[in-house]
């Protein structure tokens, strides 16, 4: 009787563990679009690479078409951004440049400490703007050009 109870308990715990693993995988894939490490960035996307795009190709690529006010919360590259590409917002809204922030907040929707602005059709690596290298945790599309006082990827 005790052996049967132990086997049933082990089977239930195994099923629960498998269910948690599958749910975690689905939650991660539903957040920012993570793509292969080939450094491709589709038209209309803002992309972040976790390595230097002209160096090794061992990192990951993250791509968005809209704002993400908290990369860390949404399973993104969380202060692990080493290269960026703005392949353009094609929706005609006028929001063409992307500002990266050091502090994001998914619950309040506010972002703080801009570290870099990536203009439309620009690509670059962190060693070009050392103050922004590995500092990003959120981004927002902006209109009217890059804000004054924010380093611009050129």
């Amino acid at each position: 009787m005790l052996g049967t109870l132990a086997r049933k308990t082990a089977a239930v715990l195994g099923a629960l563990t498998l269910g948690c693993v599958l749910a975690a995988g689905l939650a991660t894939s539903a957040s920012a679009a993570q793509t292969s490490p080939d450094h491709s960035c589709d038209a209309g996307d803002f992309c972040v690479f976790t390595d230097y795009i002209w160096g090794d190709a061992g990192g990951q690529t993250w791509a968005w078409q809209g704002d993400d006010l908290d990369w860390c919360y949404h399973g993104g590259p969380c202060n692990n951004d080493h290269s960026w590409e703005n392949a353009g917002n094609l929706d005609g809204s006028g929001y063409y440049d992307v500002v990266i922030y050091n502090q994001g907040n998914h619950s309040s929707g506010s972002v703080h400490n801009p570290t870099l602005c990536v203009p439309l059709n620009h690509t670059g690596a962190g060693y070009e703007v050392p103050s922004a290298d590995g500092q990003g945790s959120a981004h927002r599309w902006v209109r009217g050009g890059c804000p004054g006082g924010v380093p611009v990827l050129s």
Side-chain angles (χ1 to χ4, degrees):
M1 174 105 166
L2 188 54
T4 302
L5 181 59
R7 281 193 300 273
K8 286 182 180 179
T9 302
V12 168
L13 289 175
L16 287 173
T17 301
L18 178 60
C20 290
V21 168
L22 290 173
L26 290 174
T28 299
S29 65
S31 58
Q34 182 179 4
T35 61
S36 66
D38 64 358
H39 297 131
S40 63
C41 188
D42 293 336
D45 285 352
F46 167 64
C47 298
V48 171
F49 308 98
T50 61
D51 61 354
Y52 297 109
I53 57 176
W54 295 288
D56 65 33
Q60 292 295 314
T61 302
W62 297 85
W64 297 268
Q65 289 192 347
D67 297 346
D68 187 336
L69 303 182
D70 197 333
W71 297 350
C72 304
Y73 181 79
H74 297 126
C78 194
N79 298 322
N80 192 22
D81 55 324
H82 299 294
S83 300
W84 313 272
E85 182 174 352
N86 180 350
N89 189 336
L90 305 177
D91 67 2
S93 66
Y95 290 88
Y96 299 121
D97 303 318
V98 177
V99 177
I100 301 170
Y101 298 87
N102 180 266
Q103 294 177 341
N105 187 327
H106 71 279
S107 60
S108 71
S110 63
V111 289
H112 304 283
N113 302 332
T115 60
L116 182 67
C117 183
V118 184
L120 178 65
N121 296 323
H122 279 70
T123 302
Y127 51 75
E128 297 175 84
V129 187
S131 63
D133 190 20
Q135 298 297 311
S137 64
H139 75 274
R140 180 175 273 159
W141 292 86
V142 297
R143 68 183 333 169
C146 293
V150 179
V152 178
L153 188 64
S154 53

